[in-house]
Amino acid sequence: MSINDYPAKLTEGYYYVRTAWEDESTQIGQYRTLKSAVAKADENPGCHIFTSDGIAIYPEDEKPEESTQGEEIVAESTAGEITEVSSESGYPNNGNTDTILYARANTLFNVRTGNSLDAERLTTIKKGTIVEVLERCDGWYRIKCDEIECGYAYVSNTTGTYFNTGTSLYTVQPTDSLWKISEKTLGNGARYMEIRNLNNLNSNYIRVGMQLLIP
């Protein structure tokens, strides 16, 4: 089951936000409404939402894997099918240190020391992580984020396949709405659906501190 299969509001019991179900001391809140629980979990990285039965329903954990044939599993489709990407040859670094794009990962990603699957893996970034793009490398991005100063992630050559990209990044402020943000950043409030779709939002709900890609 996914989080969408659970009630938006409980009439009995609670949604519990804690790091580990077995350790009650890690709990930071319990809520009747799922939206409140999600907001609290998002504010506290490492926390999960548990049902009263101890089932973790948010966020969904994902694990990187590598096959024994030298091909790396880098993405999982919404249908649960694994996408395999064959190794590509290296590509020179252009030396740029300025951000040319902002991107949000649509799946779990391995980040490597170079744009080749033979390169050493530096770290793994989670779905939803926002990174700064320093260079486009024929199916790869050279990126930086909180986890790393510089690394390479495979993105394919199809826009939006593994990353959504924007020209700038906006942090939601008090009293903001998608319409107001669209007016501020795009000069037209009616374009708010572009921001909503780019950030994979299922509704117009946003919260203070949320980071949004801007087209």
Side-chain angles (χ1 to χ4, degrees), residues 7-213:
K9 184 174 183 179
L10 297 174
T11 56
E12 295 182 355
Y14 297 90
Y15 292 116
Y16 300 89
V17 180
R18 58 176 73 168
T19 302
W21 176 251
E22 298 79 10
D23 187 355
E24 293 185 8
S25 66
T26 65
Q27 182 166 306
I28 58 174
Q30 59 185 47
Y31 303 88
R32 294 281 193 188
T33 63
L34 187 55
K35 183 170 73 172
S36 297
V38 168
K40 182 56 99 175
D42 286 345
E43 291 172 2
N44 296 271
C47 285
H48 293 264
I49 299 174
F50 295 88
T51 67
S52 57
D53 297 323
I55 300 173
I57 62 174
Y58 180 88
E60 295 182 358
D61 289 329
E62 300 173 279
K63 297 181 180 180
E65 298 181 52
E66 290 190 6
S67 74
T68 58
Q69 302 300 317
E71 294 183 343
E72 183 178 22
I73 299 172
V74 295
E76 184 171 350
S77 72
T78 55
E81 298 177 353
I82 299 298
T83 301
E84 294 185 351
V85 181
S86 299
S87 179
E88 297 188 11
S89 60
Y91 196 102
N93 180 335
N94 69 5
N96 177 55
T97 58
D98 296 327
T99 301
I100 61 172
L101 290 172
Y102 292 88
R104 187 191 303 274
N106 290 331
T107 186
L108 192 75
F109 268 89
N110 289 326
V111 181
R112 298 188 174 274
T113 56
N115 56 328
S116 166
L117 296 182
D118 296 326
E120 179 184 355
R121 184 170 64 191
L122 290 171
T123 188
T124 301
I125 58 175
K126 295 181 179 180
K127 177 180 179 180
T129 300
I130 291 178
V131 302
E132 296 178 49
V133 180
L134 306 177
E135 181 183 3
R136 297 177 182 178
C137 307
D138 190 24
W140 294 75
Y141 283 156
R142 183 163 65 88
I143 65 171
K144 66 178 180 179
C145 58
D146 291 340
E147 290 80 6
I148 55 166
E149 292 184 4
C150 183
Y152 291 80
Y154 184 82
V155 298
S156 88
N157 289 316
T158 305
T159 302
T161 301
Y162 300 142
F163 279 88
N164 285 356
T165 59
T167 58
S168 61
L169 194 63
Y170 182 88
T171 301
V172 177
Q173 305 297 313
T175 75
D176 268 344
S177 65
L178 288 178
W179 185 282
K180 289 181 179 179
I181 294 171
S182 183
E183 283 185 327
K184 291 179 186 178
T185 61
L186 301 177
N188 184 352
R191 295 181 62 187
Y192 77 95
M193 283 299 297
E194 295 179 38
I195 298 175
R196 174 172 159 173
N197 292 337
L198 185 61
N199 289 277
N200 299 325
L201 300 178
N202 295 321
S203 69
N204 292 338
Y205 170 73
I206 54 176
R207 64 183 183 282
V208 174
M210 177 185 288
Q211 291 187 305
L212 299 174
L213 298 175

